[in-house]
Amino acid sequence: AKSKGHNRIDIFDPMMLQQVRDRLHLEVELRQAIDQGDFALYYQPIINLRSQSPRGFEALVRWQKEDTLISPTVFIPVAEETGLIFELSRWVLRSACEQLQQWQKRYPKLRSLGFTVSINLSANQFSLPTLVAEIEQALEHHHLAGQFLKIEITESTLMHHLDSACEILTKLKAMGVRINIDDFGTGYSSLSYLRNLPLDGIKIDRSFISQMDRSQEDLELVRTILVLARNLHLDCIAEGIESTTQLQLLRSLRCPFGQGYLFAPPLTADKAEVYLQKHIL
Ligand code: C2E
Ligand code: CA
Ligand code: CA
Ligand code: CA
């Protein structure tokens, strides 16, 4: 028979205990941060590689914890596992729309240029029945046409939600919202979704771009992805361009768009506005 003493959980590894504590702590703090709104959206320009002019921003979230900025790679996974991602994403969506509305008011030219803001969607959001309605409401509330908003989703998100993805993307597309596949090349290799889903473009993952000036294989992969995108009439954005060598190679391969530290890092809203004034207005 079991004695009482055997029902307790033994944690033998003090490191593990520490990890559990850190994790719980992070979760509690993240909850608080959401309640207090301790987040900021940063904006990274997406550049037309031929004209060198920016054609949009990607909104990237940061956690402003006292004096430090915490990277989304640290807290997005925790937010996803705890369900806090829904509230956080709602905040991201509204803030991005509000910011774009303000910029469109101040700089009407942004509208005629078709300047867009892209937001990242997490896989969890695809199981949220209200996703499309939330996006629609955010657009309406800020008097924004759907064409100015872009959604970035990863291949694995698509593959995990193949049933709902098609319906959701079709509805978004009908609202004018454009859809890009993020981190292209790193997920599943099934390519049939590229022709079956209403997609607008793909973003070539940084891992291919970062090695393309050193690795013949990566260069060939990038070339192949670009040919594929062109044949399927998809937009193509190269992520993580850091050097002029990479830029020259991408230009020679006729890659239409790019993003990376070579042009600008993710910027605070204020700095992003200065960037707009300098580069397009
Ligand atoms: P991602 O969507 O692939 O975003 C690109 C990441 O690459 C960003 O990191 C960006 O700062 C970084 N990056 C841009 N240019 C360069 C470059 O030239 N070199 C290098 N080394 N890095 C570059 P960040 O902002 O830390 O975001 C990391 C990831 O967190 C994002 O990857 C995205 O998956 C996720 N994320 C960020 N914001 C959100 C959000 O609002 N919602 C969701 N669900 N995920 C988000
Ligand atoms: Ca992205
Ligand atoms: Ca990416
Ligand atoms: Ca990535």
Side-chain angles (χ1 to χ4, degrees):
K2 266 189 185 175
S3 73
K4 258 187 187 169
H6 284 134
N7 283 332
R8 68 196 163 85
I9 303 165
D10 288 314
I11 298 179
F12 296 105
D13 182 354
M15 274 291 284
M16 201 173 112
L17 181 61
Q18 192 54 47
Q19 278 171 8
V20 172
R21 279 201 187 120
D22 287 351
R23 178 51 197 253
L24 273 176
H25 192 56
L26 189 61
E27 189 180 331
V28 170
E29 285 189 315
L30 192 56
R31 171 78 258 168
Q32 277 172 359
I34 289 178
D35 292 340
Q36 296 165 7
D38 292 342
F39 294 93
L41 278 188
Y42 276 52
Y43 297 89
Q44 187 177 33
I46 296 168
I47 311 292
N48 179 325
L49 296 184
R50 257 218 277 169
S51 65
Q52 296 264 49
S53 60
R55 74 99 174 249
F57 285 138
E58 177 178 13
L60 295 154
V61 69
R62 269 101 184 88
W63 177 2
Q64 280 177 313
K65 195 160 173 283
E66 284 117 39
D67 291 336
T68 43
L69 272 189
I70 303 188
S71 155
T73 54
V74 174
F75 64 85
I76 290 282
V78 180
E80 285 175 340
E81 282 166 42
T82 54
L84 292 171
I85 189 73
F86 298 113
E87 234 173 297
L88 180 59
S89 302
R90 234 165 253 141
W91 179 85
V92 167
L93 171 67
R94 289 191 195 140
S95 309
C97 287
E98 188 178 333
Q99 185 58 258
L100 184 59
Q101 178 189 27
Q102 271 185 29
W103 281 334
Q104 284 193 347
K105 262 191 206 150
R106 266 176 233 160
Y107 314 107
K109 195 177 165 193
L110 290 180
R111 233 179 260 140
S112 53
L113 286 172
F115 192 87
T116 57
V117 168
S118 309
I119 58 170
N120 292 280
L121 280 200
S122 144
N124 307 38
Q125 293 177 268
F126 267 75
S127 40
L128 200 67
T130 50
L131 176 66
V132 174
E134 279 180 30
I135 294 175
E136 194 167 24
Q137 276 162 22
L139 289 170
E140 266 173 24
H141 188 257
H142 294 100
H143 310 289
L144 283 174
Q147 69 184 98
F148 299 112
L149 183 68
K150 284 194 182 176
I151 301 286
E152 298 191 359
I153 48 173
T154 62
E155 289 175 289
S156 45
T157 296
L158 273 187
M159 294 304 144
H160 282 120
H161 296 87
L162 265 185
D163 302 337
S164 50
C166 185
E167 196 188 325
I168 293 174
L169 298 187
T170 305
K171 284 181 183 159
L172 291 177
K173 178 97 181 172
M175 284 155 47
V177 175
R178 287 178 244 173
I179 301 125
N180 279 347
I181 300 298
D182 209 347
D183 303 346
F184 186 81
T186 60
Y188 288 71
S189 52
S190 158
L191 292 175
S192 57
Y193 73 85
L194 286 181
R195 83 181 131 82
N196 295 333
L197 293 173
L199 304 171
D200 292 277
I202 56 184
K203 297 185 79 170
I204 309 178
D205 193 65
R206 186 174 80 225
S207 57
F208 300 113
I209 307 302
S210 65
Q211 300 294 323
M212 69 184 290
D213 44 4
R214 271 162 289 164
S215 149
Q216 190 62 33
E217 285 83 3
D218 283 355
L219 181 63
E220 286 311 322
L221 268 171
V222 172
R223 189 198 309 276
T224 305
I225 294 173
L226 281 163
V227 170
L228 179 74
R230 212 171 290 134
N231 290 341
L232 293 171
H233 308 289
L234 293 168
D235 253 3
C236 207
I237 302 173
E239 290 189 326
I241 305 175
E242 293 182 355
S243 72
T244 46
T245 318
Q246 289 162 356
L247 175 60
Q248 293 319 325
L249 283 170
L250 286 162
R251 276 225 184 93
S252 70
L253 297 175
R254 290 187 293 136
C255 177
F257 300 100
Q259 185 179 354
Y261 296 162
L262 178 66
F263 305 106
L267 305 164
T268 62
D270 285 349
K271 287 195 176 145
E273 185 164 338
V274 172
Y275 184 94
L276 281 180
Q277 292 166 347
K278 200 165 149 194
H279 289 90
I280 50 182
L281 305 163

